[in-house]
Amino acid sequence: MPHSNGTDDPSRLSFAVTHRSVLAIAIPMTLGYLSTPLLGVVDMAVIGRLGDAALLGGIALGGIIFDLVFTTFSFLRAGTTGLTAQAAGARNDEEIKATLLRALVIALVGGVLVIALQSPIRETGQWFLGGSADVRSVTARYFDIRVLSSPFLLANFAILGWFIGLGRAGTGLLLQLVLNGLNIVLSIWFVMGLGWSVEGVAAATVLSEAAATLLGLFLILTSVRRGTWPKPAIIFNRRLLLRMMALNRDILIRSFALLYAYAFFMARSADQGDTVLAANAVLEKFILVSGYFLDGLATAAEQLAGRAVGAKFRPAFDRTLKLTALWSFAMAGLLSAVFVIFGSALIDFMTTSDEVRALGNTYLIWAVLAPLLGVLAFQMDGIYIGATWSGTMRNMMLLSLAVYIAAYHVLFPLLGNHGLWLALSIFLGLRGVTLLAACRRRADKAFAQV
C-alpha cells in the first residue's frame, strides 16, 4: 500500500493499463462473484427438490425484499471502491484507511437499524410484492431469520469494496469464496441433511456472512501497520463525510431504481400465478449469473478508472474504457452460448416441477439474450462507479426505468409473459446505451484541468 499524503505531482502518478492489468483484476473477481449466483442456484435447487412451487416463490420474493433493503447501503461497496481507488491513484494513504473506517461505522449502524425495523420492513415488502398466502408465509419464515445477518452483510460490502479499490483482487476472491462457499455447504446440509426447509437456507446465510466479516477484519488488520490508522478528526471530516453521503444519495437512487425494475418484474410474474412466478424466478437466476459473470470486468473498470481519475491521467482512463469493453463483449457472447447449450439442463436442475420446467423452456430465449443486451450497462456501471460520476449514472437509470415501465404497459397486454420479458430486455439495453452516450462528456470535464 502506498504511504503518501497525497502531495505527489500528478505527472508522476501515471500508470499503464494493459490486457494483463485488466484481467489480473477481472479473472479472480469473476470467479469470486460467480460463487454468488451459484449460491442462488443451489438454494433454488435444494428448495426445488422439495417439489413445492410456493417454497421457490417465497425465497425468491424474500430475496428481493433483502435486495431492496440493502440497496439503501449499496454505496458501502460501490462508493468505497471508487473513493478508495481514487485515493490510491493520488497515493493518499491516510484517506485510503479513513474511507474504510467511515464505511464500517455506517455498516454497523445501518445493520442494527435494519434488525430493529424488521417487522415493518417485512410487511411493506410483502404488501408491495404480493403473492399467494402460501408464498407470503414462506417469505416471512425466510426473512425473520436472514435479517440477523444485516450488520455482517453490510460490513462485508465495505470490506470487499475497500480491497477492490486497492486492486487486491486475490483478497476479494478469497472473501467471496469463503462467504458463498460456506453458505452453499451449510444450505445443503441444513435443508437436505437436517430437513430445515427455507429456515435452513436463511440460517446458512447468517452464519456465512458472520464468518466472512471476521475473515475480512483479520485480513485488514494484518495488511496495515500498527499505529498508522487516521485520527477520528480525519475519519469524521465533515467535507469528506458529505462527499460520501452525496455519493450515497445518487447511488442509492440508482440502485433502488434497478432493484425496483427487478421487483416490478417479479411482482408482475406473481400476478400470473405461482407457476409463472416460479418459472420466471428460475430464469431470473440466469440474469443474476450474467450480472456476476460480467461484474468481474466491471470491477476492473471500477478500480482502473477510479485510479486514473485520482491520478488525473486521461490515457489510462481511455485505455480502461476500451479494454474493459472488448473483454466484456467477449464474455457476454460466451455466456449466451453456454445458456443456449445448457439452459434446459439448468432449468431441470433447479426444479423438479414439470410445469415449471415447461414454462422455463418456453421463455428461455430471453435469458439467452440477457448477457448481450446488458453487457454495456455492466461495463459502464464500473466506469462510472470508479470515477464517482454518480449523478449521471442516477439520471440514466431513471430514464431507462421510465421507458421500461411504459414498455410493459404496452407489451404485456399484447404478448403476455413474453411482453414482460421484452420490456425487461429493453431496460437492460437502454441503460448501457445512455451511459455510453454521456461518458465522453464526463471524461472531458473530469480531466479538463490536467
Side-chain angles (χ1 to χ4, degrees):
M1 184 184 295
H3 295 280
S4 163
N5 288 322
T7 58
D8 303 72
D9 181 351
S11 66
R12 292 172 33 221
L13 303 181
S14 62
F15 63 100
V17 177
T18 65
H19 289 281
R20 181 175 181 177
S21 61
V22 168
L23 295 178
I25 299 172
I27 290 176
M29 291 315 303
T30 296
L31 294 174
Y33 286 143
L34 279 176
S35 64
T36 298
L38 178 60
L39 168 62
V41 170
V42 171
D43 284 349
M44 280 288 181
V46 295
I47 295 299
R49 294 292 174 202
L50 302 180
D52 186 345
L55 294 178
L56 283 173
I59 63 170
L61 296 187
I64 289 173
I65 294 174
F66 279 104
D67 287 343
L68 288 168
V69 171
F70 295 131
T71 292
T72 305
F73 302 94
S74 60
F75 79 105
L76 287 172
R77 213 294 286 163
T80 302
T81 296
L83 294 173
T84 302
Q86 290 185 23
R91 299 181 186 174
N92 189 336
D93 182 65
E94 185 174 65
E95 182 56 22
I96 288 173
K97 297 166 187 170
T99 297
L100 170 66
L101 294 176
R102 291 181 200 119
L104 287 175
V105 169
I106 294 170
L108 177 60
V109 174
V112 172
L113 186 62
V114 170
I115 293 175
L117 297 175
Q118 68 180 84
S119 294
I121 290 171
R122 182 188 64 241
E123 294 301 319
T124 301
Q126 290 186 315
W127 169 80
F128 174 73
L129 293 172
S132 68
D134 288 342
V135 167
R136 290 169 63 88
S137 175
V138 172
T139 299
R141 289 159 52 195
Y142 174 78
F143 181 94
D144 288 345
I145 295 174
R146 185 178 166 185
V147 73
L148 299 175
S149 70
S150 300
F152 305 114
L153 183 147
L154 296 180
N156 288 331
F157 279 179
I159 293 168
L160 179 62
W162 190 70
F163 279 118
I164 291 173
L166 294 176
R168 293 182 54 175
T171 303
L173 170 61
L174 174 63
L175 291 171
Q176 289 297 101
L177 290 181
V178 168
L179 170 63
N180 294 314
L182 180 60
N183 204 338
I184 288 170
V185 171
L186 292 178
S187 290
I188 295 172
W189 179 31
F190 290 163
V191 177
M192 304 302 294
L194 302 180
W196 288 3
S197 189
V198 294
E199 289 82 359
V201 171
T205 299
V206 176
L207 294 175
S208 59
E209 293 283 1
T213 298
L214 293 175
L215 174 61
L217 293 175
F218 171 78
L219 293 173
I220 290 168
L221 292 174
T222 56
S223 68
V224 177
R225 295 182 307 171
R226 288 187 177 183
T228 62
W229 290 98
K231 297 179 180 179
I234 300 297
I235 299 169
F236 297 104
N237 178 280
R238 184 174 181 273
R239 179 182 63 83
L240 295 175
L241 277 174
L242 289 176
R243 182 191 180 197
M244 179 174 273
M245 290 300 102
L247 183 62
N248 173 41
R249 177 200 62 210
D250 293 334
I251 294 179
L252 171 64
I253 295 170
R254 171 262 180 195
S255 299
F256 260 127
L258 180 61
L259 263 296
Y260 177 85
Y262 286 107
F264 181 86
F265 175 83
M266 295 306 295
R268 301 293 74 77
S269 299
D271 290 344
Q272 300 176 70
D274 288 356
T275 304
V276 172
L277 171 61
N280 281 359
V282 167
L283 290 176
E284 193 265 343
K285 295 303 179 187
F286 286 66
I287 298 179
L288 186 65
V289 168
S290 301
Y292 284 105
F293 190 82
L294 297 171
D295 258 352
L297 282 156
T299 299
E302 288 177 31
Q303 204 280 331
L304 295 170
R307 185 180 170 191
V309 170
K312 303 185 184 301
F313 189 54
R314 179 68 181 266
F317 179 87
D318 291 340
R319 185 71 169 164
T320 296
L321 185 64
K322 178 180 178 180
L323 293 187
T324 55
L326 175 66
W327 282 105
S328 292
F329 275 97
M331 291 293 188
L334 175 62
L335 190 57
S336 289
V338 169
F339 288 167
V340 168
I341 298 170
F342 299 107
S344 293
L346 289 172
I347 292 170
D348 290 347
F349 175 73
M350 283 188 279
T351 178
T352 59
S353 169
D354 290 335
E355 290 182 336
V356 175
R357 285 176 171 179
L359 278 180
N361 279 282
T362 298
Y363 302 113
L364 176 60
I365 182 60
W366 299 109
V368 170
L369 294 174
L372 295 172
L373 292 170
V375 58
L376 187 58
F378 289 116
Q379 186 238 355
M380 284 289 108
D381 277 350
I383 296 292
Y384 277 70
I385 288 170
T388 61
W389 297 338
S390 56
T392 302
M393 188 167 61
R394 172 203 64 205
N395 294 341
M396 297 304 102
M397 174 63 77
L398 292 175
L399 172 62
S400 301
L401 179 64
V403 173
Y404 164 50
I405 301 300
Y408 163 79
H409 286 293
V410 173
L411 296 170
F412 183 76
L414 298 174
L415 302 172
N417 199 45
H418 279 296
L420 174 60
W421 276 103
L422 178 55
L424 181 66
S425 298
I426 291 171
F427 170 73
L428 293 175
L430 187 59
R431 279 211 311 122
V433 171
T434 55
L435 288 171
L436 178 62
C439 186
R440 182 169 294 278
R441 174 180 57 83
R442 288 306 312 255
D444 289 343
K445 182 179 180 180
F447 294 98
Q449 298 179 351
V450 177

